[in-house]
Amino acid sequence: MEKGLYVKNGKGGLPYEDVALDFSNPETVKWYQEKLGKLIQMGVGAIKVDFGEAAPLDGLYASGKSGLYEHNLYPLRYNKAVADITREIHNENII
């Protein structure tokens, strides 16, 4: 929250309900991968990716694209972030 790595609401502020990480922002991907990397190095074998279908349609994304555009890319960006860090540590794409 402090780093602003979330999808902003339609007015550019903090969403009222669920807050989604903004995977269109490379800084978000880096931050999230650092967190996951620590878990994987501790022995976690796989990360279950979920919640991609709830990316806000009216959200403001770092990419500058509309929420409708990013909503469809969200699960792909999210899965790629997890797969990439898993491959970097274990040379596998298991998620």
Side-chain angles (χ1 to χ4, degrees), residues 22-34:
D22 187 351
F23 287 106
S24 76
N25 181 344
E27 290 300 314
T28 302
V29 173
K30 180 181 173 185
W31 176 86
Y32 193 63
Q33 288 177 329
E34 287 173 2

